[in-house]
Amino acid sequence: MIAAAMPKTPQSARHGDALKLHRDCGFGEVSISPHQPQSLANPPIVRTGTALAIKYLTSGVAALFPSSTGRGGARNRADRESHALTVAQIANLKAAERHAEKIGLPFTRMISIHWQAAGLPLAGMAKATGRFTDLMAKALARHGSGTAWLWVHENVPGNSHDKGGHCHLLAHVPADLVSRLTALQRGWLRRITGQPYQARVIHSKPIGGRLGLEAGNPDLHAVNLEVALAYVLKGASPEAASQFGLERLEAGGCIIGKRCGTSQNIGAKARKAKD
């Protein structure tokens, strides 16, 4: 795997107090530091490995699960294998993130799900992720909230607790609904897998380290979201990394079926219709 420097800090976030990295962050969150007069012209290198975002147990037990609703993303063959994010996929994910902000549904939460630890085979991840996002959207809708999301699958070979097939999901979850949503997540996983919840299968945290950052400090939230998106895109192909200037790269592994996706409201058709 290749360790690379963090994305450059946007100009809009460099004014005033300096930015520093949280020591306990999962994917390189930044915070305002009143004690550092200098800006980070050369951000520190972030540690590599899936363990930065998820540290879960793994198992290889196959499970049954309901079918996906098929929402979001390109429609790939269910048995298609891929080993990296392509130029087209990354372009779509980046455009989707910008559109989520444009329609007032900025990504506020990073959710990582270790599907292998939950007992799903590699070929079952796409359906499971689709089912999870469907349940999330319906739960938020019941409380009068819309949402938007994007996700990427990775598969790091190995037997340790941070390996295997997993999903990184960036989603819009209003701060006042986070506690209700997180209380439901383990139940969703039991419904999807048909098995008891396994410890450390899901990890969820606000982008930027605290709730409501997108409203309280939009510039700082934008910086943290940039870092989170770079983490999610780290499985890019060399061609895609070169084209988009991605500096942090790690092998994304072999994925069966869809490697990434977005909610329909920020997908290519929605963006075209809005424009």
Side-chain angles (χ1 to χ4, degrees), residues 89-109:
Q89 287 171 331
I90 291 182
N92 181 58
L93 293 173
K94 281 180 165 287
E97 183 276 318
R98 293 191 297 269
H99 195 68
E101 175 74 28
K102 183 177 180 180
I103 63 175
L105 298 171
F107 299 143
T108 60
R109 202 156 191 87

Side-chain angles (χ1 to χ4, degrees), residues 8 96 151 257 269:
K8 294 182 180 179
W151 56 263
K269 289 184 179 180

Side-chain angles (χ1 to χ4, degrees), residues 211-222:
L211 295 177
L213 185 64
E214 69 282 1
N217 193 332
D219 285 346
L220 184 57
H221 174 262

Side-chain angles (χ1 to χ4, degrees), residues 104-139:
L105 298 171
F107 299 143
T108 60
R109 202 156 191 87
M110 181 171 182
I111 303 171
S112 296
I113 309 171
H114 201 303
W115 288 120
Q116 180 170 319
L120 292 183
L122 187 62
M125 287 204 304
K127 288 184 178 181
T129 297
R131 181 61 174 152
F132 183 92
T133 55
D134 184 56
L135 290 167
M136 179 181 68
K138 289 178 178 178

Side-chain angles (χ1 to χ4, degrees), residues 27-241:
F27 47 84
E29 292 165 355
V30 293
S31 62
I32 293 296
S33 170
H35 306 296
Q36 299 291 337
Q38 74 280 6
S39 62
L40 291 182
N42 296 300
I45 294 176
V46 182
R47 292 180 297 136
T48 61
T50 305
L52 288 175
I54 51 176
K55 287 177 178 262
Y56 310 130
L57 299 175
T58 58
S59 64
V61 182
L64 298 176
F65 47 89
S67 297
S68 162
T69 60
R71 292 189 175 190
R75 296 178 178 177
N76 297 326
R77 287 189 0 245
D79 61 347
R80 176 186 177 186
E81 291 187 6
S82 65
H83 296 268
L85 290 167
T86 66
V87 169
Q89 287 171 331
I90 291 182
N92 181 58
L93 293 173
K94 281 180 165 287
E97 183 276 318
R98 293 191 297 269
H99 195 68
E101 175 74 28
K102 183 177 180 180
I103 63 175
L105 298 171
F107 299 143
T108 60
R109 202 156 191 87
M110 181 171 182
I111 303 171
S112 296
I113 309 171
H114 201 303
W115 288 120
Q116 180 170 319
L120 292 183
L122 187 62
M125 287 204 304
K127 288 184 178 181
T129 297
R131 181 61 174 152
F132 183 92
T133 55
D134 184 56
L135 290 167
M136 179 181 68
K138 289 178 178 178
L140 290 173
R142 286 195 296 271
H143 295 287
S145 174
T147 186
W149 67 81
L150 65 78
W151 56 263
V152 174
H153 286 158
E154 294 179 351
N155 175 30
V156 183
N159 297 319
S160 64
H161 61 271
D162 63 341
K163 305 297 183 181
H166 58 273
C167 172
H168 294 307
L169 172 70
L170 301 181
H172 175 81
V173 181
D176 61 341
L177 294 179
V178 167
S179 60
R180 296 189 182 189
L181 197 72
T182 54
L184 297 171
Q185 290 176 348
R186 292 188 180 187
W188 296 345
L189 293 176
R190 288 192 294 268
R191 290 171 61 182
I192 293 168
T193 65
Q195 298 185 29
Y197 176 78
Q198 298 294 320
R200 299 188 292 174
V201 161
I202 189 167
H203 179 73
S204 177
K205 67 185 300 183
I207 292 173
R210 61 180 183 266
L211 295 177
L213 185 64
E214 69 282 1
N217 193 332
D219 285 346
L220 184 57
H221 174 262
V223 175
N224 279 279
L225 179 54
E226 181 181 346
V227 174
L229 184 59
Y231 182 87
V232 170
L233 300 180
K234 66 186 182 298
S237 67
E239 179 187 7

